[in-house]
């Protein structure tokens, strides 16, 4: 053992424990009882059984344990963006695709093609770029993986510029922010613009954040460590103080997270802001008939009418196999074409055929599934498909590789079209387009919406 460290040999790790024991002891508190160096009993922590604590110090430990429940922030509202409250609609037992008979699978494909009939199958290409990233794109120090991410970020910014979303007086909310790279490039593009702020929403603690690059700038960056499902933007202090129009952005926002983000913007935030704007104006005194007061009140009414709580939405979609019927915003569209939760379950599973049905199962991949910033050299999020049924032996004889790819693409399109219908019904001009090439990312669809 290393001098000054615990003398217990951890067989599983094939090394000695690295904890520092108390003065005069050979073993740390965790291993002292195992080595019979201490008579004090250690028990698993009730908050997190992965670590132990002295039984006689339990109450003291519970007050400072890192696993204790922390107080919820003011913007945390339980399940505000969850969607479907009645889970009885969702079938309890969901049969895997590989256990379906040939007839059942064929019926599903017939339903899929019937529901997709009339949809625009070939999306328009909007592969753009932005001058803010030109220097980074031309930097030879960036490797192939970094170059792919930069091309996607440049195209997202190009599409935002085309929709006139890169301007002053905006609050950019990045959902599934990870390290915050997309917000970073938006900030670089708006370096000479005043009155902008950024909210980076990420439920996980993130290493290697780029937030520090903005400390010397005038931009306001704030992180919200919360699940999108429970985020109420109206209660975020900085938005309460400054009533700025919000632009929702995201790069590769996994499955259900996209639906939660759309509901967070369109329902919980926009609806509440509109209700506030519809409040009746206070009555003026009868003797107040000056021209100045009447013109100022007219201006205020005009400003309220012109104020759009959500100025735009730009989200790069991905991981449709992680969608969830309870959170999905396009349930009404699915029902209108004769589909329900059972078909949705199969279609979201089959959607992975579009991106991995034509390739061998990935054998080496990272376990993280949060954002582009957590991947190494693997294709973005592709490791998430390892456990899908794309390579099932049962399907090999029924469908060719190209047929599976085509069906997977149809499933993705159908799910995304439900999102477009949802936004259109709420007063937005929404569209889907290809924002990058397949060689850069197989998840190449961008959802955009403006009022």
């Amino acid at each position: 053992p290393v001098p000054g460290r615990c003398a217990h040999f951890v067989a599983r790790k094939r090394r000695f424990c690295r904890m520092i024991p108390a003065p005069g002891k050979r073993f740390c508190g965790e291993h002292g009882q195992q080595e019979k160096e201490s008579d004090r009993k250690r028990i698993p922590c009730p908050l997190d059984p992965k670590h132990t604590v002295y039984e006689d110090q339990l109450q003291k430990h519970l007050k400072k344990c890192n696993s204790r429940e922390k107080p919820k922030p003011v913007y945390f509202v339980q399940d505000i963006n969850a969607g479907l409250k009645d889970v009885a609609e969702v079938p309890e037992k969901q049969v895997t695709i590989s256990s379906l008979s040939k007839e059942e699978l064929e019926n599903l494909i017939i339903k899929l093609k019937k529901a997709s009939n009339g949809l625009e199958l070939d999306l328009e290409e909007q592969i753009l770029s932005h001058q803010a990233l030109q220097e980074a794109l031309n930097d030879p120090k960036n490797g192939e993986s970094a170059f792919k991410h930069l091309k996607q970020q440049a195209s997202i910014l190009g599409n935002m510029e085309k929709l006139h979303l890169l301007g002053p007086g905006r609050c950019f909310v990045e959902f599934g922010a990870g390290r915050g790279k997309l917000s970073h490039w938006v900030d670089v593009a708006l370096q000479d613009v005043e009155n902008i702020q950024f909210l980076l929403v990420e439920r996980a603690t993130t290493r290697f954040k780029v937030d520090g690059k903005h400390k010397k700038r005038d931009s306001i960056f704030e992180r919200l460590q919360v699940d999108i499902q429970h985020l109420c933007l109206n209660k975020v202090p900085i938005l309460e103080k400054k009533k700025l129009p919000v632009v929702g952005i995201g790069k590769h926002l996994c499955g259900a997270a996209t639906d939660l983000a759309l509901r967070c913007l369109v329902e919980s935030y926009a609806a509440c802001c509109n209700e506030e704007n519809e409040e009746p104006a206070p009555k003026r005194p009868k003797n107040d008939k000056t021209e100045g007061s009447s013109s100022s009140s007219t201006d205020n009414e005009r400003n309220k009418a012109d104020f759009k709580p959500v100025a735009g939405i730009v989200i790069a979609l991905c991981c449709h196999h992680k969608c969830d019927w309870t959170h999905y915003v396009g349930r009404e569209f699915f029902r209108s074409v004769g589909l329900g939760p059972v078909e949705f379950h199969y279609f979201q599973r089959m959607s992975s055929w579009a991106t991995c049905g034509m390739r061998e199962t990935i054998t080496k991949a990272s376990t993280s599934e949060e954002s582009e910033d957590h991947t190494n050299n693997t294709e973005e999020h592709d490791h998430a498909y390892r456990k899908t049924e794309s390579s099932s032996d049962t399907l090999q004889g029924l469908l060719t590789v190209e047929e599976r790819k085509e069906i997977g693409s149809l499933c993705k399109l159908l799910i995304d079209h439900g999102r477009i219908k949802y936004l259109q019904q709420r007063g937005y001009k929404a569209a889907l387009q290809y924002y990058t090439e397949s060689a850069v990312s197989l998840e190449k669809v961008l959802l955009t919406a403006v009022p």
Side-chain angles (χ1 to χ4, degrees):
V2 179
R5 300 293 172 131
C6 178
H8 177 82
F9 185 78
V10 186
R12 182 174 60 86
K13 297 184 177 180
R14 292 186 289 183
R15 63 167 173 78
F16 285 93
C17 174
R18 293 171 181 168
M19 298 296 288
I20 301 173
K25 302 282 187 180
R26 291 186 64 231
F27 303 99
C28 67
E30 195 78 21
H31 299 123
Q33 195 169 353
Q34 292 181 32
E35 302 288 350
K36 299 181 180 177
E37 187 182 44
S38 174
D39 295 330
R40 296 171 69 190
K41 185 180 179 183
R42 290 187 74 88
I43 60 172
C45 172
L47 299 177
D48 183 6
K50 289 181 181 177
H51 65 275
T52 61
V53 59
Y54 285 117
E55 190 175 28
D56 55 8
Q57 285 190 330
L58 178 60
Q59 295 307 317
K60 181 181 178 182
H61 170 80
L62 291 176
K63 293 178 182 177
K64 61 180 181 180
C65 178
N66 288 332
S67 297
R68 71 190 186 279
E69 188 176 358
K70 297 172 179 64
K72 297 287 190 292
V74 291
Y75 46 79
F76 181 97
V77 178
Q78 186 72 36
D79 294 330
I80 186 170
N81 305 314
L84 189 66
K85 300 293 189 292
D86 183 16
V87 293
E89 187 181 333
V90 183
E92 290 182 10
K93 292 185 179 180
Q94 296 177 333
V95 182
T96 59
I97 297 172
S98 56
S99 54
L100 291 174
S101 67
K102 183 180 179 181
E103 290 73 21
E104 288 173 324
L105 185 60
E106 286 174 348
N107 285 335
L108 269 177
I109 295 171
I110 290 169
K111 284 185 177 181
L112 172 67
K113 291 183 176 179
K114 185 179 177 182
S116 305
N117 191 26
L119 300 185
E120 184 61 48
L121 301 181
D122 295 319
L123 302 182
E124 185 183 353
E125 276 196 358
Q126 291 288 342
I127 303 173
L128 307 176
S129 191
H130 196 279
Q131 59 183 10
L133 290 95
Q134 288 309 307
E135 186 178 343
L137 285 167
N138 296 326
D139 189 348
K141 293 180 182 178
N142 287 318
E144 184 183 354
S145 178
F147 182 70
K148 286 182 177 182
H149 292 310
L150 287 167
K151 285 199 77 172
Q152 292 173 70
Q153 288 154 348
S155 185
I156 291 172
L157 260 69
N159 277 278
M160 290 175 69
E161 187 172 53
K162 185 178 180 181
L163 295 170
H164 308 292
L165 296 177
L166 295 178
R170 302 277 166 85
C171 175
F172 296 89
V173 183
E174 183 179 356
F175 294 96
R179 291 171 59 195
K181 278 288 190 72
L182 184 56
S183 291
H184 163 72
W185 289 117
V186 172
D187 185 47
V188 172
L190 298 173
Q191 55 185 339
D192 299 324
V193 177
E194 296 181 351
N195 194 21
I196 59 168
Q197 59 193 40
F198 293 87
L199 294 176
L200 280 63
V201 183
E202 177 60 67
R203 66 181 179 184
T205 52
T206 309
R207 300 175 67 195
F208 311 118
K209 297 186 285 286
V210 296
D211 304 25
K213 295 184 179 182
H214 311 279
K215 288 180 179 177
K216 296 179 181 179
R217 306 272 287 272
D218 295 330
S219 309
I220 300 172
F221 272 73
E222 184 178 339
R223 275 193 174 263
L224 308 179
Q225 190 176 339
V226 62
D227 194 309
I228 305 170
Q229 183 170 334
H230 314 299
L231 171 62
C232 181
L233 283 175
N234 302 81
K235 296 189 176 182
V236 176
I238 202 166
L239 277 179
E240 275 189 320
K241 185 179 179 182
K242 291 184 178 180
K243 293 290 184 183
L244 293 178
V246 161
V247 178
I249 59 176
K251 178 172 175 281
H252 290 272
L253 195 56
C254 275
T258 294
D259 298 301
L260 296 172
L262 293 178
R263 198 174 277 111
C264 175
L265 293 165
V266 174
E267 289 187 35
S268 67
Y269 184 67
C272 288
C273 287
N274 288 331
E275 285 175 11
E276 289 174 11
N277 288 342
E278 287 171 6
E279 288 179 4
K283 292 181 180 179
R284 291 193 314 237
K286 290 183 179 179
N287 58 354
D288 185 10
K289 294 182 180 179
T290 59
E291 287 185 16
S293 62
S294 62
S295 63
S296 63
S297 71
T298 305
D299 290 340
N300 288 336
E301 287 172 9
R302 189 180 296 114
N303 289 337
K304 279 189 175 184
D306 293 340
F307 177 71
K308 303 290 184 185
V310 179
I313 301 169
V314 180
I315 295 175
L317 306 169
C318 88
C319 297
H320 294 73
H321 67 284
K322 284 191 167 187
C323 290
D324 190 316
W325 178 257
T326 57
H327 302 315
Y328 182 51
V329 295
R331 292 194 301 266
E332 191 176 326
F333 163 71
F334 255 63
R335 292 193 188 99
S336 71
V337 291
L339 303 174
V342 175
E343 289 82 8
F344 180 84
H345 161 69
Y346 290 123
F347 292 164
Q348 51 111 182
R349 298 292 297 169
M350 290 155 66
S351 68
S352 62
W353 296 354
T355 49
C356 70
M358 74 297 284
R359 296 177 301 157
E360 293 180 5
T361 305
I362 295 169
T363 54
K364 183 181 178 183
S366 165
T367 55
S368 169
E369 298 174 354
E370 289 301 320
S371 69
E372 48 102 353
D373 304 296
H374 298 292
T375 59
N376 296 322
N377 294 322
T378 55
E379 184 69 33
E380 218 160 353
H381 289 241
D382 285 353
H383 55 267
Y385 301 122
R386 282 192 303 159
K387 296 181 181 178
T388 62
E389 297 156 299
S390 61
S391 58
S392 170
D393 294 335
T394 314
L395 300 172
Q396 295 297 334
L398 300 179
L399 299 165
T400 66
V401 168
E402 284 303 316
E403 284 173 336
R404 286 207 304 273
K405 184 179 176 182
E406 182 187 345
I407 290 166
S409 299
L410 270 182
C411 291
K412 281 177 172 285
L413 180 68
L414 195 67
I415 292 170
D416 290 338
H417 193 74
R419 291 164 169 165
I420 295 296
K421 284 290 185 183
Y422 167 83
L423 290 166
Q424 288 174 346
Q425 288 170 358
R426 280 155 181 79
Y428 292 85
K429 183 181 178 183
L432 300 168
Q433 52 262 316
Y434 294 129
Y435 78 104
T436 192
E437 302 97 343
S438 299
V440 174
S441 176
L442 293 175
E443 297 283 17
K444 57 180 183 177
V445 176
L446 187 73
L447 181 151
T448 61
V450 290

